[in-house]
């Protein structure tokens, strides 16, 4: 194996290692941060942050010094209890009642809302199911909590999830362009009320949500400049591979300035954002629950907690405490939108506001932002185009791989030709090594001159490998995020969006897993065969100690990493290796002739060497270095 090929393999390895190291550093930083927070004394936090931590507590806290309760009579002539009056003040009449659930069914969703809290309690995506063929429920009563939170003038704390709203209608089923509006209202007295309005469209995943306040200026605390909207959701495991789904599930949000941010994918995380946010998404691998604000949330406290137990049906708990600006006079409305949808790139792009960014097409850090561009402007258009004519996604992946390899073939041919020329030059290179074995600087200079005279580029063998990297890494993100592949079978793989297990092991092997993925095995075998073929075609042998074995060790290392990855990804890598091997065999067998290459090298040596500015500077630097060494010897 020549040095150029080894360099190519090392580039692949270094990129993967750098990305893995980056993730590990992020996790370690979070662990150290958590330790520091535990060992330092608590500090004062703002009310929204404190509320985020305590919102799950159902305990009533009263002060004996609070004002005496008023006797309030409801319309049904039931008397408000003293404890209710103490806790809720003018809202006490709405602290008890009969909970009424209302179901709205559209072409895409089944949504249940409750009169207690006037909020969404159940969301089901009708046209999808889980990996074990159960209804796909994004949120249920046990998993979701949405609540408006504010303080009254007498410092009483109001959480709307504890109040009973009057509802305007009952269950409905709508289709196509039909709409349905559902209103939940608490009217303290004429002209003084809180109203929550939900508008559904028959063919849409979006739910318009409007909060109306009227006459609340004299009730809500005078120093209040906002009310809180709290949203919490437990994220259930919906896919077969828990580790993959966990890696692609996190809190994702868009700032008003257009930048996109997220909480950690791999560890517990929280943050306070003091700038305007346009939308917040509780993102999963293939689905999302997103809240969008027309005017933006002017600050927020976000939190994500992982579930460590492998047997836990939940992956994470995601929370957001958001602030809505309160003006304090007249009537005020907040226009929001809930989105419960698949992570379909085309669908989300149609909705606008950069919602398609929810589909992860590249790493969440700027160094590799170009990977997302490769997927967006190259892979996705080709994939969609082929999907118009072909219904089998295994065949689409094959044609996609073949097309990429054909486009890169001219560069691949130059690479193999460069390797073959290096092989022909090997006797002369060996002579130079022997002649200048005690002078490494002179040896390098003479080798470079030989390359120039022969018309050989020592880096030519690496170029195609480097140019393939955007596609190789792009597919690493594209396939695990492509909902089109979900539950699509091909050959022995029952679902291309998760690993293809041909045998489930009765135990777990560290670094490998508890199953055998055939596509991953085929990927590993073809990688080793390709490395062997490269060694035969190149100058053979590598002078770098230990490095000659790296092209064979590296695929075995990837065997453990990719065993849990989606079958579509390992199938693509297997095809890529197979096509590369076939191209190399064809070029070696029918195109490249060593005798003709030798004749071409002889002709190149007779031609005058044209040196560019860079080459002249290199030679000048080499001469200066040689002169320094001679001076030292004297």
């Amino acid at each position: 194996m020549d040095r150029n090929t080894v360099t190519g393999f090392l580039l692949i390895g270094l990129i993967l290692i750098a990305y893995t190291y980056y993730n590990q550093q992020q996790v370690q930083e979070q662990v150290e941060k958590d330790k520091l927070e535990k060992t330092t004394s608590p500090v004062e936090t703002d009310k929204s942050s404190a509320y985020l931590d305590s919102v799950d507590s159902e305990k009533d806290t009263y002060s004996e010094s609070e004002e005496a309760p008023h006797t309030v009579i409801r319309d049904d002539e039931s008397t408000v209890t003293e404890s209710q009056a103490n806790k809720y003040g003018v809202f006490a009449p709405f602290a008890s009642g009969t909970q009424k659930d209302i179901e709205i069914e559209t072409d895409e969703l089944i949504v249940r809302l409750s009169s207690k809290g006037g909020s969404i309690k159940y969301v089901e995506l009708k046209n999808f199911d889980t990996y074990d063929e159960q209804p796909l429920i994004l949120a249920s009563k046990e998993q979701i909590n949405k609540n408006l939170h504010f303080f009254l003038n007498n410092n009483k704390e109001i959480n709307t999830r504890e109040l009973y709203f009057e509802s305007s209608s009952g269950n409905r089923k709508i289709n196509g362009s039909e709409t349905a509006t559902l209103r939940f209202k608490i009217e303290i007295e004429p002209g003084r009320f809180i109203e929550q309005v939900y508008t559904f469209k028959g063919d849409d995943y979006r739910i318009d949500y409007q909060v109306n306040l009227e006459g609340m200026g004299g009730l809500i605390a005078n120093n209040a400049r906002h009310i809180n909207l709290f949203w919490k959701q437990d994220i259930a495991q919906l896919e077969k591979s828990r580790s993959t789904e966990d890696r692609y599930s996190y809190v994702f949000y868009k700032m008003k300035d257009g930048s996109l941010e997220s909480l950690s994918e791999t560890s517990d995380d929280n943050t306070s954002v003091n700038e305007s946010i346009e939308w917040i998404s509780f993102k999963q691998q293939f689905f999302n629950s997103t809240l969008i604000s027309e005017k933006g949330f002017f600050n927020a406290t976000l939190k994500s907690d992982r579930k460590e137990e492998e047997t836990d049906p939940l992956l994470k708990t995601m929370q957001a405490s958001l602030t809505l600006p309160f003006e304090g006079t007249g009537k005020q409305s907040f226009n929001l939108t809930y989105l419960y949808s698949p992570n379909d790139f085309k669908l989300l792009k149609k909705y606008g506001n950069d919602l398609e960014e929810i589909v992860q097409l590249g790493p969440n850090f700027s160094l590799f932002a170009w990977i997302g561009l490769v997927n967006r402007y190259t892979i996705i258009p080709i994939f969609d185009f082929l999907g118009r004519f072909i219904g089998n996604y295994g065949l689409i992946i094959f044609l996609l791989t073949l097309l990429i390899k054909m486009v890169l073939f001219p560069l691949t041919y130059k690479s193999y030709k460069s390797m073959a020329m290096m092989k022909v030059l090997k006797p002369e290179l060996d002579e130079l090594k022997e002649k200048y074995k005690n002078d490494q600087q002179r040896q390098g200079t003479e080798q470079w001159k030989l390359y120039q005279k022969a018309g050989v580029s020592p880096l030519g063998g690496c170029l195609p490998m480097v140019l393939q990297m955007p596609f190789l890494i792009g597919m690493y993100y594209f396939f695990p995020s492509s909902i089109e592949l979900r539950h699509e079978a091909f050959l022995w793989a029952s679902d291309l969006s998760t690993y293809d297990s041909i045998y489930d092991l009765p135990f777990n092997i560290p670094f490998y897993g508890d199953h055998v993925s055939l596509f991953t095995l085929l990927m590993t075998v073809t990688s080793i065969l390709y490395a062997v073929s490269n060694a035969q075609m190149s100058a053979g042998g590598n002078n770098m100690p230990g490095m000659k074995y790296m092209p064979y060790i590296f695929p075995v290392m990837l065997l453990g990493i990719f065993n849990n990855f989606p079958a579509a990804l390992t199938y693509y890598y297997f095809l890529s290796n197979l096509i590369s091997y076939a191209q190399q065999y064809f070029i070696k067998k029918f195109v490249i002739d060593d005798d003709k290459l030798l004749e071409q090298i002889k002709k190149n040596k007779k031609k005058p060497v044209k040196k560019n500015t860079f080459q002249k500077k290199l030679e000048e630097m080499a001469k200066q270095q040689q002169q320094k060494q001679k001076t030292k010897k004297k």
Side-chain angles (χ1 to χ4, degrees):
M1 181 68 66
D2 71 339
R3 184 174 302 180
N4 303 325
T5 306
V6 171
T7 303
F9 275 101
L10 284 176
L11 284 171
I12 298 174
L14 287 173
I15 290 176
L16 291 174
I17 291 169
Y19 180 51
T20 303
Y21 177 76
Y22 175 85
N23 276 340
Q24 290 175 341
Q25 288 295 105
Q26 293 293 98
V27 173
Q28 184 61 33
E29 288 176 7
Q30 184 62 38
V31 170
E32 294 298 327
K33 179 182 175 182
D34 291 343
K35 287 181 179 178
L36 182 62
E37 290 175 351
K38 289 178 181 178
T39 55
T40 55
S41 59
V43 296
E44 183 180 353
T45 58
D46 60 40
K47 289 184 177 180
S48 65
S49 178
Y51 177 65
L52 188 65
D53 295 330
S54 63
V55 73
D56 291 327
S57 174
E58 296 290 346
K59 295 181 181 179
D60 296 335
T61 55
Y62 307 107
S63 171
E64 293 182 0
S65 63
E66 286 183 343
E67 62 183 272
H70 300 284
T71 301
V72 184
I73 306 297
R74 293 194 60 183
D75 292 340
D76 58 6
E77 298 185 355
S78 60
T79 304
V80 173
T81 66
E82 182 179 354
S83 63
Q84 288 173 339
N86 280 335
K87 183 177 182 181
Y88 300 104
V90 294
F91 286 92
F94 307 97
S96 60
T98 302
Q99 181 173 321
K100 178 183 178 182
D101 290 341
I102 301 171
E103 181 174 288
I104 305 294
E105 182 177 352
T106 70
D107 294 339
E108 313 294 350
L109 304 171
I110 296 176
V111 182
R112 296 190 193 119
L113 303 96
S114 174
S115 62
K116 185 176 182 181
S119 60
I120 295 171
K121 293 296 182 184
Y122 177 91
V123 180
E124 176 184 338
L125 271 61
K126 289 173 57 176
N127 301 315
F128 298 89
D129 54 16
T130 63
Y131 72 95
D132 52 357
E133 300 181 349
Q134 298 298 312
L136 198 145
I137 301 169
L138 276 185
S140 66
K141 183 178 180 180
E142 295 75 23
Q143 294 172 240
I144 189 172
N145 181 2
K146 193 272 291 181
N147 174 45
L148 294 172
H149 169 258
F150 52 88
F151 287 86
L152 300 181
N153 270 326
N154 52 16
N155 207 34
K156 297 185 187 299
E157 185 178 4
I158 301 299
N159 298 308
T160 58
R161 65 191 172 96
E162 300 170 353
L163 304 178
Y164 290 82
F165 287 71
E166 293 294 329
S167 57
S168 62
S169 62
N171 299 344
R172 285 196 62 183
K173 184 175 182 179
I174 57 175
N175 307 101
S177 59
E178 295 178 335
T179 61
T181 299
L182 182 58
R183 297 176 182 272
F184 293 100
K185 190 173 184 180
I186 286 180
E187 188 168 24
I188 300 169
E189 58 186 47
R192 181 167 283 184
F193 62 81
I194 296 177
E195 183 181 45
Q196 299 182 79
V197 184
Y198 298 86
T199 302
F200 299 81
K201 299 174 185 177
D203 57 355
D204 208 326
Y205 289 100
R206 293 172 295 183
I207 305 169
D208 291 334
Y209 173 55
Q210 186 178 65
V211 178
N212 297 321
L213 304 177
E214 185 165 342
M216 300 300 292
L219 296 178
I220 296 179
N222 294 328
N223 61 348
R225 293 292 178 265
H226 66 268
I227 63 174
N228 290 326
L229 170 60
F230 176 75
W231 180 33
K232 169 190 170 185
Q233 191 165 312
D234 289 326
I235 305 302
Q237 181 180 345
L238 304 175
E239 313 303 330
K240 182 178 178 181
S241 175
R242 182 183 179 91
S243 60
T244 302
E245 187 177 9
D246 180 73
R247 186 167 60 250
Y248 286 91
S249 299
Y250 48 87
V251 178
F252 191 53
Y253 54 100
K254 181 190 175 185
M255 305 296 293
K256 196 71 174 178
D257 62 8
S259 61
L260 297 159
E261 306 290 344
S262 69
L263 297 189
S264 173
E265 308 106 332
T266 56
S267 63
D268 295 348
D269 197 6
N270 64 84
T271 188
S272 294
V273 183
N274 298 319
E275 299 174 19
S276 184
I277 297 177
E278 288 192 7
W279 51 257
I280 296 169
S281 181
F282 294 166
K283 176 192 176 302
Q284 296 174 247
Q285 185 179 4
F286 292 119
F287 303 93
N288 73 87
S289 304
T290 302
L291 183 58
I292 308 161
S293 173
E294 184 181 80
K295 295 183 178 179
F297 308 105
F298 70 85
N299 58 41
T301 302
L302 308 174
K303 188 176 182 181
S304 176
D305 297 311
R306 295 181 71 245
K307 309 297 182 182
E308 299 294 342
E309 294 294 331
E310 290 290 328
T311 56
D312 197 321
L314 302 178
L315 291 173
K316 297 179 180 179
T317 296
M318 301 181 184
Q319 304 179 57
S321 181
L322 312 168
T323 53
L324 304 172
F326 178 63
E327 297 173 358
T329 58
K331 183 177 180 179
Q332 187 174 0
S333 296
F334 304 100
N335 296 313
L336 312 173
T337 300
Y338 280 103
L339 172 65
Y340 295 98
S341 79
N343 295 341
D344 185 313
F345 185 84
K346 297 187 293 296
L347 171 73
L348 295 174
K349 188 174 183 179
K350 182 181 71 175
Y351 289 155
N353 206 12
D354 294 327
L355 287 168
E356 72 273 12
E357 298 292 345
I358 291 173
V359 183
Q360 187 176 1
L361 298 178
N364 290 333
F365 54 101
S366 57
L367 181 62
F368 289 98
W370 51 270
I371 295 172
L373 299 178
V374 171
N375 278 323
R376 182 187 291 262
Y377 297 110
T378 304
I379 303 302
I380 290 178
I382 297 173
F383 192 79
D384 290 343
F385 174 78
L386 294 174
R388 296 176 193 170
F389 308 101
I390 303 169
N392 186 296
Y393 281 96
L395 184 57
I396 289 174
I397 294 172
F398 170 75
L399 293 176
L400 177 65
T401 312
L402 188 61
L403 182 61
I404 292 172
K405 287 294 183 180
M406 287 175 62
V407 170
L408 293 175
F409 181 75
L411 294 172
T412 303
Y413 169 70
K414 289 183 178 180
S415 169
Y416 293 153
K417 183 178 179 181
S418 177
M419 291 166 61
M421 293 177 78
M422 292 286 289
K423 185 177 180 179
V424 172
L425 282 176
K426 188 175 185 303
E428 294 182 61
L429 291 170
D430 289 342
E431 289 180 8
L432 290 175
K433 289 176 183 178
E434 180 62 29
K435 184 177 180 180
Y436 300 107
K437 61 183 178 181
N438 296 323
D439 189 347
Q440 293 294 322
Q441 184 69 34
R442 182 68 182 276
Q443 182 187 125
T445 303
E446 295 302 322
Q447 285 181 349
W448 185 262
K449 289 180 179 179
L450 178 60
Y451 292 147
Q452 286 182 312
K453 290 179 181 179
V456 176
S457 172
L459 299 178
C462 297
L463 182 60
M465 197 169 294
V466 172
L467 292 176
Q468 286 184 62
M469 289 304 299
F471 297 100
L472 291 172
I473 302 176
M475 296 302 182
Y476 177 90
Y477 285 93
F478 173 69
F479 287 126
S481 301
S482 299
I483 195 169
E484 294 87 353
L485 301 174
R486 191 173 184 269
H487 295 182
E488 291 291 334
F490 179 67
L491 298 178
W492 57 83
S494 59
D495 186 349
L496 286 170
S497 70
T498 188
Y499 57 81
D500 57 309
S501 177
I502 58 170
Y503 182 71
D504 293 329
L505 301 172
F507 49 83
N508 184 74
I509 301 176
F511 191 68
Y512 182 73
D514 58 1
H515 62 272
V516 178
S517 167
L518 182 54
F519 276 132
T520 307
L521 286 175
L522 293 173
M523 178 194 76
T524 303
V525 171
T526 51
S527 295
I528 294 173
L529 287 175
Y530 180 60
V532 171
S533 179
N534 252 359
Q536 293 174 350
M537 193 166 187
S538 66
N542 183 21
N543 294 327
M544 299 173 68
M547 293 305 296
K548 63 180 179 180
Y549 301 109
M550 185 55 68
Y552 312 107
I553 296 173
F554 191 63
V556 178
M557 293 169 58
L558 293 181
L559 175 65
I561 297 173
F562 281 83
N563 193 55
N564 287 299
F565 277 48
L569 181 63
T570 51
Y571 169 54
Y572 167 79
Y573 287 166
F574 160 63
L575 287 176
S576 181
N577 289 337
L578 202 62
I579 295 172
S580 294
Y581 181 79
Q583 287 178 337
Q584 191 178 78
Y585 177 82
F586 174 78
I587 293 171
K588 182 170 64 175
K589 191 76 174 177
F590 302 105
V591 179
I592 291 181
D593 186 314
D594 288 353
D595 293 333
K596 290 182 179 180
L597 284 179
L598 186 59
E599 289 298 320
Q600 182 180 339
I601 289 173
K602 290 179 179 179
K603 290 180 181 179
N604 290 340
K605 287 181 178 180
K606 295 178 181 179
K607 297 178 182 178
V609 178
K610 295 181 179 180
K611 300 178 182 179
N612 55 38
T613 305
F614 177 70
Q615 289 172 334
K616 289 178 180 178
K617 286 184 177 180
L618 281 178
E619 286 190 7
E620 185 178 343
M621 290 171 62
K623 289 178 181 178
Q624 289 176 355
Q625 189 65 27
Q626 289 176 10
Q627 187 61 39
K628 287 180 181 179
Q629 288 182 352
K630 289 180 180 178
T631 304
K632 285 182 180 180
K633 288 179 181 180
K634 290 180 180 179

